Amino acid sequence: MKIVIMAGGKGTRIAEVNSQVPKPMIPIDGKPILEHQINVLKRQGYREFILIIGHLGHIIQDYFKDGSGWDVHIQYITEESPLGTAGALYFLKEEIRENFLLVNGDIIFDVDIARFLDSHRRLNTIATILTHPNSHPYDSGIIIADENRRVTDWLHKEDQRHWYKNRVNAGLHMLSPDIFRYFPDLQKRDLDRDILKPLISSRELGIYDSPEYVKDMGTPDRYCSVAEDIRCRRVEARNLRKRQRAIFLDRDGTLNKYVGFLTDINDLELMDDAAEAVRRINASGYLAIVITNQPVIARGEVSMEELTQIHNKMETLLGQEGAYIDALYFCPHHPDKGFAGERPQFKTECSCRKPKPGMLLQAAQDYNIDLSKSWMIGDSDSDIKAGAAAGCGTVMLDAQFSLLQAVEQILDAGSLASPSYDYGR
């Protein structure tokens, strides 16, 4: 599979870091951003690269030449005049006949590309974009997808939004050669607005959602943050080929204030320390995954759409404070019958309703999680029993022991290989 990297960016916002080289050549931890990208992909067996260059592109060519110094093969496409973020793909119409990966040249990432490609093939879309949560969704474009992982809307920064799932375009795109139908001639084109977004109406734009590490170099602050992550080896640690650790979080009474069965979105309020606790998890290398029983679905008290909006509000409120969850699992089932308006299809004994560990086991399968090095935090016996049944360490919250305190104690105990004891009561 060929890798195409858009390496022509001028980098006006990050010029104060280094204005003498094109943005993808800004060094970070002693190597250009572009070299980090090539090395990550080469380690996974990808050796055919096409670099689209423009502003100060000769610096890139002089550095990498034909790629043989990195045991890869590099071709170049030079923009004689700016063609936007996609116009130069026109030159690849006769070059590429199979799926290919298109990469923004200003991001540091370590992603299991084989998983990404497999997801794209199963979706069978013209384009699949990698989405992930980030700490600043309020100034990022938001990608909205349905349960079949087809994009249904794309909210740009200037678009009006209310409650939303914190998922943004990460800058990695798996594309079918059918994409070249949208390049009938050579002209300046914007990848997002002119090529990808129009695919939504035909359901030809899919998502691959991943908690793996992808961050851009758009500002000096982000540059410094990524440099630190590279030095601390946080980047490579998040590749899903490697075993992950997670802190599983109950929802009601743990992340948001307990109000009984939450059926009205207006009743959802975050616990006072929830955002800070989740921020600590985000910075630690653990995945933050919500595990929640929602029998209100089976009882007919909330629709799936209403529950989605409740969860979107939770994610929006967290995102406003720089925190995010990597995934959310909920059980809609309830075994007892006799409620007015109940939904019979959800009135069943299941393997996912806590205290059973089904949701944790599914998360472990989805994200290659080592449950013996992971934790379950909750405020009920069913949370603790589910965590224990999955093989996790467990933490029980109460009025004297908060979520933030629990997270701090877990992180302080991070050197323990097998968390086999409980904190809290």
Side-chain angles (χ1 to χ4, degrees), residues 211-280:
E212 292 166 292
Y213 192 102
V214 186
K215 286 190 180 178
D216 72 78
M217 303 292 102
T219 66
D221 286 346
R222 291 178 199 168
Y223 171 88
C224 293
S225 174
V226 171
E228 177 64 18
D229 288 341
I230 289 175
R231 282 191 287 271
C232 295
R233 307 191 75 171
R234 296 188 189 108
V235 179
E236 62 186 82
R238 292 300 286 267
N239 187 301
L240 289 181
R241 292 186 176 194
K242 297 189 175 183
R243 297 282 272 167
Q244 302 297 307
R245 299 177 301 166
I247 295 179
F248 297 103
L249 303 166
D250 175 47
R251 196 192 80 177
D252 300 308
T254 300
L255 279 174
N256 57 275
K257 295 177 181 179
Y258 183 76
V259 294
F261 289 115
L262 198 162
T263 59
D264 186 338
I265 192 170
N266 296 309
D267 291 336
L268 185 136
E269 295 181 55
L270 293 181
M271 300 289 282
D272 293 339
D273 63 354
E276 176 62 21
V278 175
R279 278 201 305 271
R280 299 281 183 93

Side-chain angles (χ1 to χ4, degrees), residues 134-135 166 274-275 278-279 282 315 318-325:
N134 75 13
S135 60
N166 179 352
V278 175
R279 278 201 305 271
N282 298 153
E315 292 209 37
L318 287 170
Q320 289 171 352
E321 299 191 53
Y324 58 86
I325 59 172

